[in-house]
Amino acid sequence: MTTARLPLFPLNAVLFPGLVLPLNVFEERYRAMMRELLEIDEDEPRRFVVVAIRDGRETAPTATGMPDTAATAPAVERAPADGFGPDPVQTFHRVGCVADAAKIRERSDGSYEVLATGTTRVRLLSVDASGPFLTAEVEDLPEDPGSADGDDTPTDEAGALAEGVLRAFRSYQKRLAGASERSLTTGADLPDDPSVVSYLVAAAAVLDVPTKQRLLQAPDTATRLREELALLRKETAVIRHLPSLPATDLTRDPTHPN
């Protein structure tokens, strides 16, 4: 299994392979990370690991998105492991996603706008807080299409599940009218690869962080798609019985699988 040591960026969010992540970076420990990434030739991948913070753990104020008001935020001086307990690896979920920072733009106040794309899943082996920012030793977590029953191949099963998930997702979308920012509008917009479909749906569905994390670390594509199918049907049924709740509220307050 291939291992690597990469900068670690903890968030109260889950990044999936193939998905875009905008970041507003104003804490000094993460500014230091971006300065180091900028030393890498722009033709080479500027990689770091995004990992979700477990529920109930303190998190840094650095947030996703690029709000204009953040441009005036002062630099926050915190040690690399501040807010993450005496053993940071216990604070994070063990499966994360490598991000490639395609865009890193420094603002006049020294903060950064970053636009990164998820690439591959990794498993955290250890976390090091001895430098100016957290780093992690990680190992690749390959995407397996999954086991199949009967005479179907794993690819056939995952493909059939992906079609069912897309149908369920379109029904779910109709119940989330107004949530266009999360919309996967037509089948023509979607790839054929079942694993890519599974990641896109996991990212676009309005679910809480623990549920998204469970989908990210699913042992294979077929398992992820099966869980998504159950979740989408359940969430669609819940929304159907909440006609008085505006759909925009559902996008702000994630629904729960329970």
Side-chain angles (χ1 to χ4, degrees):
M1 193 73 70
T2 303
T3 63
R5 183 164 293 278
L6 295 171
L8 186 66
F9 204 121
L11 287 175
N12 275 323
V14 178
L15 177 63
F16 293 91
L19 276 296
V20 174
L21 175 70
L23 290 169
N24 166 46
V25 178
F26 54 87
E27 280 195 62
E28 177 53 36
R29 53 184 168 180
Y30 300 119
R31 292 188 188 195
M33 180 189 299
M34 295 305 140
R35 288 194 292 269
E36 182 166 303
L37 290 176
L38 281 172
E39 293 177 2
I40 300 172
D41 190 283
E42 62 182 1
D43 293 329
E44 298 294 327
R46 292 168 170 171
R47 302 192 305 157
F48 59 98
V49 176
V50 172
V51 64
I53 301 165
R54 293 183 185 276
D55 275 358
R57 305 285 186 166
E58 183 182 351
T59 179
T62 301
T64 57
M66 300 179 183
D68 292 339
T69 54
T72 58
V76 179
E77 298 287 348
R78 305 185 82 185
D82 277 2
F84 301 129
D87 186 9
V89 74
Q90 302 300 325
T91 303
F92 311 133
H93 287 283
R94 294 301 179 93
V95 175
C97 184
V98 174
D100 182 6
K103 171 188 173 183
I104 304 176
R105 186 178 75 84
E106 185 175 7
R107 299 190 184 100
S108 59
D109 67 349
S111 64
Y112 291 88
E113 289 182 1
V114 180
L115 197 62
T117 302
T119 59
T120 57
R121 298 187 307 162
V122 290
R123 188 185 308 279
L124 267 66
L125 301 177
S126 64
V127 174
D128 182 3
S130 63
F133 49 82
L134 294 177
T135 60
E137 183 181 4
V138 297
E139 65 178 6
D140 291 341
L141 195 59
E143 180 71 18
D144 186 339
S147 301
D149 296 326
D151 296 329
D152 291 341
T153 66
T155 302
D156 289 340
E157 185 193 29
L161 283 166
E163 291 177 5
V165 165
L166 289 177
R167 286 193 298 270
F169 189 80
R170 292 188 186 101
S171 176
Y172 169 79
Q173 280 187 299
K174 290 177 183 177
R175 297 288 173 178
L176 282 177
S180 58
E181 74 277 5
R182 299 176 183 273
S183 179
L184 304 180
T185 53
T186 67
D189 297 328
L190 297 170
D192 296 327
D193 188 320
S195 66
V196 176
V197 170
S198 75
Y199 288 138
L200 286 173
V201 169
V206 184
L207 301 167
D208 60 16
V209 169
T211 303
K212 285 180 179 282
Q213 179 66 34
R214 193 166 68 245
L215 293 173
L216 175 68
Q217 63 191 42
D220 52 63
T221 300
T223 299
R224 184 180 304 110
L225 289 167
R226 279 192 292 268
E227 182 164 359
E228 287 172 349
L229 190 57
L231 283 167
L232 289 170
R233 288 171 175 168
K234 191 171 188 177
E235 293 297 315
T236 301
V238 169
I239 298 167
R240 186 183 299 120
H241 289 89
L242 294 174
S244 62
L245 181 61
T248 51
D249 288 344
L250 290 171
T251 65
R252 286 195 292 267
D253 300 315
T255 54
H256 296 270
N258 295 323

